[in-house]
Amino acid sequence: MEERNVGNSGLRVSRVGLGCNNFGGRIGVAASKAVIRKALDLGITLFDTADVYGNRGGSETILGTYLGSERERVVIASKFAMPMDDAGKLRGASRGYILKAIQASLKRLKTDYLDLYQLHTADPHTPIEETLRTLNDLIRQGMVRYIGCSNLPAWQVVEAQWTAKSLGLEGFISIQDEYSLLVRGLEQELLPAARRYGLGLLPYFPLANGLLTGKYRRGEALPEGARLTTNPARAEAVMTEANWQKVERLEAFAKARGHTLLELAFSWLATNPVVSSVIAGATKPEQVEQNANAAGWVLTPEERMEVDQITAAA
């Protein structure tokens, strides 16, 4: 599989990455192991997880158990800052908490370093300088290779990069945010900021919670066990009349060119030069294979323009 650098850094990752948020949650140990094995066999090198995934720790534990000897040839990306307890004490981006969180993640992942450690969400109670100094120390100690962020607005990303530069600290190399043919809000400010500061984008929910897979049909019952089937609130937010119209037009666009809606969703992202790897979760090995093979369509400028017209105001 093609590999790319994450932003302006030297970290290289597969064009399609495996989102590990299903491990220990939607799927158990055996199913997770099968998904991991298929990803490795297909040449996927980026495994993206978080301490909070899998009911707080489950995803990292499974990944650490089954990567085994393959660990050195893959890129493990994890995250911190989301609540790891019901009381809300284990969360945030303070120095004290980060030092506890990294040790816990490394133990669960059975490794002595993370390739990419990401701030999962902003911490309004901690100055970004404190967070960056702590992450810088982790890099100096060899516990972390690179750092990134997720779910931060553009102004906070810019603030973090300027703070790092002015203090001589390591800055973020990546941003991880929701981005798809149906969710394009980050193009207003966040994407320009990423280009300006040489950050690689790792888009999650590339299939808009499955709406861009082609398995959902307007007016038909939702497939049993599918993500939107088990999350009614999200289904209501995603399955709008406007989105259905876009999906139907996008599917017709892809079909007319001999491709599927799934291939269009992945390839549209993969041909964006800011995108380093498309993060896609899976619950079955065959889904991993479909996702890995879906990003090979190189859209022409004219095709991208037509897609933009279809998805205007996404």
Side-chain angles (χ1 to χ4, degrees):
M1 179 178 290
E2 175 195 347
E3 289 194 341
R4 299 173 175 178
N5 288 62
V6 179
N8 289 342
S9 78
L11 182 64
R12 291 182 63 79
V13 294
S14 51
R15 176 178 57 188
V16 174
L18 180 65
C20 303
N21 56 310
N22 292 315
F23 300 168
R26 291 186 66 205
I27 58 176
V29 173
S32 299
K33 180 181 178 181
V35 167
I36 292 170
R37 184 67 261 167
K38 175 59 72 172
L40 291 168
D41 291 344
L42 292 170
I44 290 175
T45 61
L46 176 60
F47 290 76
D48 180 78
T49 185
D51 55 7
V52 74
Y53 292 168
N55 298 314
R56 297 171 179 163
S59 175
E60 288 183 330
T61 299
I62 289 173
L63 196 58
T65 301
Y66 291 105
L67 276 179
S69 61
E70 305 280 5
R71 194 277 171 259
E72 291 303 315
R73 75 178 183 92
V74 303
V75 171
I76 297 180
S78 194
K79 311 179 192 73
F80 67 93
M82 292 287 193
M84 287 293 285
D85 67 338
D86 292 337
K89 299 295 184 181
L90 300 177
R91 65 184 302 171
S94 68
R95 182 176 185 83
Y97 180 68
I98 292 174
L99 295 178
K100 294 177 183 177
I102 184 65
Q103 292 290 354
S105 286
L106 292 177
K107 183 177 181 179
R108 287 189 291 263
L109 287 162
K110 295 184 179 180
T111 184
D112 56 4
Y113 72 96
L114 291 178
D115 299 281
L116 179 63
Y117 200 33
Q118 303 159 97
L119 173 63
H120 206 164
T121 187
D123 179 357
H125 305 295
T126 302
I128 191 62
E129 177 182 340
E130 179 177 335
T131 300
L132 290 171
R133 284 193 183 278
T134 307
L135 294 174
N136 191 78
D137 288 345
L138 296 183
I139 292 175
R140 294 289 176 264
Q141 294 166 19
M143 300 169 71
V144 171
R145 298 292 191 259
Y146 297 92
I147 57 175
C149 62
S150 178
N151 302 311
L152 298 189
W155 74 266
Q156 287 185 318
V157 172
V158 172
E159 179 188 36
Q161 296 306 85
W162 269 101
T163 300
K165 183 176 182 179
S166 64
L167 296 176
L169 305 174
E170 297 287 345
F172 296 139
I173 68 163
S174 63
I175 57 173
Q176 185 170 153
D177 295 88
E178 182 174 3
Y179 189 39
S180 71
L181 284 166
L182 299 182
V183 180
R184 299 179 59 176
L186 57 72
E187 293 176 350
Q188 299 299 313
E189 295 182 351
L190 193 56
L191 212 56
R195 294 192 187 97
R196 173 64 180 82
Y197 290 95
L199 301 171
L201 172 62
L202 304 172
Y204 66 79
F205 290 168
L207 299 175
N209 293 107
L211 200 58
L212 293 170
T213 62
K215 65 183 177 184
Y216 296 107
R217 297 293 174 184
R218 189 206 298 253
E220 295 183 5
L222 300 180
E224 185 176 350
R227 181 182 293 274
L228 291 179
T229 307
T230 58
N231 192 338
R234 182 66 176 175
E236 184 178 356
V238 172
M239 291 183 167
T240 64
E241 176 60 26
N243 277 348
W244 277 124
Q245 290 181 13
K246 291 171 186 175
V247 166
E248 289 164 356
R249 291 181 64 191
L250 289 169
E251 190 165 28
F253 171 90
K255 185 177 181 180
R257 290 158 179 79
H259 292 280
T260 65
L261 180 60
L262 182 78
E263 290 171 334
L264 175 59
F266 272 90
S267 297
W268 179 79
L269 287 170
T271 53
N272 187 324
V274 180
V275 173
S276 300
S277 182
V278 181
I279 304 296
T283 57
K284 301 175 182 178
E286 51 266 34
Q287 290 178 334
V288 181
E289 188 162 13
Q290 289 173 351
N291 294 342
N293 294 331
W297 176 10
V298 180
L299 280 75
T300 66
E302 292 75 21
E303 288 173 331
R304 289 191 67 88
M305 186 177 300
E306 186 170 344
V307 169
D308 285 344
Q309 292 173 347
I310 294 173
T311 61

